[in-house]
Amino acid sequence: MLVIVIGFTSQCVEQAQSLSVPQDSARSEQVRGPIAVPSTMPQYPNSESGLESLMRDMFWLRQRNDSAALAWYFQSLILPDAETWFSSEFGDVDCEANDLGPNGCLGPRMAWYYTVTAKTLPESFALTLADLAHESLVDFEAVNQTEQCAGPMRIVPAQELVGQFTTVPVLLSPWSKLIRQNEPVYVLWAFNESKETTLNFFVYSQGAFRYIGMPRPAPAEDYRQKKYSEGSFPPTSPSILTSKQLSIKDVLIQLDKVQRTVVLRVVVDREGKPTQVSYVRGAETFKGAAIENTRKRRFERPGFGPHGLHPNVFCLAVAPH
């Protein structure tokens, strides 16, 4: 039986009529106004499979050296009207306050920070695709991080990569409407048989996937004083967008195990005995067996132990024989 503890719990592009794209950096540092995407671009659904299809199509265009078509794809990844989107998701309270607190005016500050990402996003994404191809990281699994027990099913996720998702405001429920309303926030895992990395984060806005990176609010003091006006941020260079590439002995989970895998939410008492075991997703055929086997198990007592913190609520990926 394959058992993987996933972690703590928390609760194909449609033709777009307004896509913000950066001008050539030699001409301007600013972001241009709306631009229409050709109707020849396919419509990708707002789902994990939709994002995976988008990435595969971009790789296919790269292999064909179709730089003109790729340019439209790269530009479509820029979040249009970023301030409106971030304000809607994170709020815009206290923006007129003389002394902004750490969470004051959070949405506009995050949008202001995103300006730096947007300026070089097409060039950065081109570099990223080239690097993934060079490293043979051309298999993809998209994960919606706002889902319960989020995590890849086809690979063993590196805990170092998983850990990075716990510190960004996008996934912190006290501020993020994305979490409160279960709006999808996608992480793309790229992998081969011995190595994996992630590309974080994607959202779906105005009928298309948009790359928002690892958004953070601009420093309150810089934002209040408007230290940088729009288009005059410090110069940035295009860069590879993926996380650290980690080499692991066995990344892939055997296909037959993937097809049997069931993800469960488990609650244990102070002795490590399961008190609640509920089905989250996975192979429904094996749901009953996975729940029954898990109820019979005993886990580490909750609290700090020799190997770190043992939670009383966690997710488990189980592949019954």
Side-chain angles (χ1 to χ4, degrees):
M1 178 184 294
L2 173 72
V3 178
I4 301 174
V5 176
I6 298 178
F8 302 97
T9 61
S10 63
Q11 295 301 101
C12 97
V13 176
E14 181 180 348
Q15 182 178 359
Q17 298 302 318
S18 59
L19 296 175
S20 299
V21 300
Q23 290 186 3
D24 185 284
S25 57
R27 296 198 305 270
S28 173
E29 292 280 341
Q30 296 183 356
V31 176
R32 279 195 297 182
I35 184 168
V37 169
S39 58
T40 53
M41 288 181 65
Q43 179 178 352
Y44 299 94
N46 183 10
S47 65
E48 290 91 341
S49 60
L51 180 55
E52 292 164 7
S53 295
L54 170 66
M55 287 297 294
R56 285 194 294 267
D57 286 352
M58 285 195 287
F59 262 94
W60 180 73
L61 291 171
R62 184 179 182 277
Q63 290 173 345
R64 292 182 58 200
N65 294 317
D66 194 342
S67 57
L70 263 180
W72 288 108
Y73 275 77
F74 294 154
Q75 291 171 351
S76 76
L77 293 170
I78 297 174
L79 180 68
D81 198 2
E83 182 160 349
T84 298
W85 187 87
F86 278 106
S87 295
S88 172
E89 300 296 345
F90 296 93
D92 57 359
V93 297
D94 299 330
C95 287
E96 302 303 321
N98 291 327
D99 184 16
L100 281 177
N103 302 324
C105 202
L106 198 58
R109 285 166 55 204
M110 293 179 77
W112 201 49
Y113 186 95
Y114 180 73
T115 300
V116 179
T117 300
K119 284 195 304 182
T120 59
L121 181 54
E123 296 87 351
S124 292
F125 220 90
L127 287 176
T128 302
L129 285 191
D131 183 64
L132 291 174
H134 177 73
E135 299 292 338
S136 298
L137 292 164
V138 293
D139 287 318
F140 304 107
E141 181 170 359
V143 174
N144 176 8
Q145 283 298 130
T146 62
E147 280 190 343
Q148 190 178 51
C149 301
M153 298 282 284
R154 303 197 299 269
I155 64 172
V156 178
Q159 290 306 303
E160 183 176 345
L161 295 176
V162 171
Q164 67 188 326
F165 307 143
T166 64
T167 59
V168 290
V170 169
L171 298 177
L172 295 181
S173 56
W175 302 304
S176 177
K177 190 177 79 174
L178 294 165
I179 299 296
R180 296 196 305 271
Q181 298 187 6
N182 294 318
E183 298 178 29
V185 178
Y186 299 102
V187 171
L188 189 76
W189 293 79
F191 57 91
N192 55 32
E193 292 184 354
S194 60
K195 190 159 50 175
E196 61 185 270
T197 189
T198 56
L199 188 56
N200 325 316
F201 290 102
F202 294 84
V203 296
Y204 202 82
S205 176
Q206 297 188 24
F209 286 104
R210 316 294 182 172
Y211 178 78
I212 61 172
M214 297 283 264
R216 294 175 175 83
E221 189 64 18
D222 285 355
Y223 180 81
R224 189 180 66 81
Q225 296 180 356
K226 297 297 183 185
K227 184 175 181 180
Y228 305 113
S229 60
E230 182 179 355
S232 66
F233 284 83
T236 57
S237 300
S239 60
I240 295 172
L241 301 171
T242 50
S243 304
K244 181 189 302 183
Q245 295 178 6
L246 299 181
S247 296
I248 299 175
K249 183 178 180 180
D250 296 307
V251 172
L252 302 183
I253 296 176
Q254 296 177 11
L255 181 58
D256 65 322
K257 290 183 178 179
V258 174
Q259 293 171 339
R260 302 197 312 272
T261 296
V262 178
V263 177
L264 305 173
R265 181 180 183 271
V266 182
V267 181
V268 298
D269 63 17
R270 65 180 61 187
E271 300 300 322
K273 179 181 178 181
T275 59
Q276 297 179 35
V277 180
S278 55
Y279 171 81
V280 177
R281 66 178 185 276
E284 292 201 15
T285 304
F286 298 95
K287 176 174 65 174
I291 291 175
E292 181 180 356
N293 291 339
T294 301
R295 282 177 174 159
K296 296 176 180 178
R297 297 186 59 196
R298 293 297 179 269
F299 297 90
E300 296 283 354
R301 294 181 178 183
F304 285 97
H307 303 293
L309 177 65
H310 301 293
N312 71 316
V313 182
F314 53 89
C315 297
L316 207 62
V318 182
H321 292 297

